[in-house]
Amino acid sequence: MNIKSSESLSSPHHPISPLAWLNNQPYVLLTLASLFWAGNIVLARYVAGHVPPLTLSCIRWIGTFLMLWPFARTHLARDWRTLLAHWPLLLLLALTGFAINNALSYWAMQYTQALNGLLIQSSTPLFVALWSLLLFGVRLSLAQFAGIAMSLSGVLVILTRGDLGALAGIQFNRGDLMFAGALLVFGLYSAAMTRRPAVHQLSLIAACTALGAVLLLPLAVWAARRHRVAAHRRAMIMLFSGALVIAGLFTLLPGRIMHRVVFGS
């Protein structure tokens, strides 16, 4: 991976830009990822009933790949042989992190509330720790366990507005169980990601999104035909238009400048 070391970034010959600084802050990036994923859950709940979850998942990864392609194509041209040599792991990552996990979580949002989803999502580190222990024998340190406990406690306080007695009034249904299943699959993806091949991060994420979309495509077409997506024309037009506009914006000059600043190539 072409990641600048902290020493080179702090050198007087290499002034630190905000994006370059952000690229070397894994905890900040993980926090932002959780924030964006929370927005994803709210949006999934909003479109529930309009777009079949399999179709929505496929559209999501197609749009993501279109946004990544202008930045990832040069890296893919260099890394494709390495990716191909690790195709079983790549298939596992695409299947768990992009196909099953996403489709199952969107499916769950048809039966439960976004608040329940966010509450269950706070247990994600536990699923990751479970798979890491089962697959690789990695045990949580005391500090890691304390961090997970603090995170769960903070989420509970926020969601219940300080009244933990409100938890007794939360009702769980099959959608909640499905969402927990999606997190269990995502935990496997996160644990397996630690064994990823030594390729550029854009090569890996682009390959996984493309493969995830391909895995979902037959089921997405079947679900769209079965659920008569044409009956929800307005929601579908907004979804497709938004995806195309966002993907187009990423291909413009500001996006290319951002890529050079962050990834240095």
Side-chain angles (χ1 to χ4, degrees), residues 24-25 31 37 85 106 112 189 193 198 200 221 229:
N24 286 272
Q25 304 299 319
T31 302
W37 181 242
Y106 284 167
T112 189
Y189 161 80
M193 181 61 77
H200 195 277
V221 173
V229 174

Side-chain angles (χ1 to χ4, degrees), residues 120-132 140 144 147-148 151-152:
I120 298 170
Q121 181 181 302
S122 64
S123 62
T124 301
L126 295 178
F127 290 108
V128 177
L130 174 63
W131 280 113
S132 297
L140 285 175
Q144 290 171 330
I148 292 175
S151 174
L152 291 174

Side-chain angles (χ1 to χ4, degrees), residues 110-123:
Q110 294 188 329
Y111 303 103
T112 189
Q113 300 297 319
L115 184 63
N116 288 36
L118 291 172
L119 179 61
I120 298 170
Q121 181 181 302
S122 64
S123 62

Side-chain angles (χ1 to χ4, degrees), residues 147-172:
I148 292 175
M150 291 177 62
S151 174
L152 291 174
S153 301
V155 170
L156 291 176
V157 170
I158 293 173
L159 294 180
T160 61
R161 298 181 180 180
D163 181 15
L164 296 182
L167 291 175
I170 295 180
Q171 297 181 350
F172 293 95

Side-chain angles (χ1 to χ4, degrees), residues 26 37 49 60 69 78 93 103 118 155 178 189 253-254 265:
W37 181 242
R60 178 189 183 187
W69 174 249
R78 183 183 65 245
L93 293 175
L118 291 172
V155 170
M178 293 165 62
Y189 161 80
L253 182 60
S265 60

Side-chain angles (χ1 to χ4, degrees), residues 69 71-83 200 202-203 206:
W69 174 249
F71 312 132
R73 58 184 180 181
T74 56
H75 303 294
L76 281 169
R78 183 183 65 245
D79 295 332
W80 71 270
R81 289 184 179 84
T82 304
L83 291 171
H200 195 277
L202 283 177
S203 297

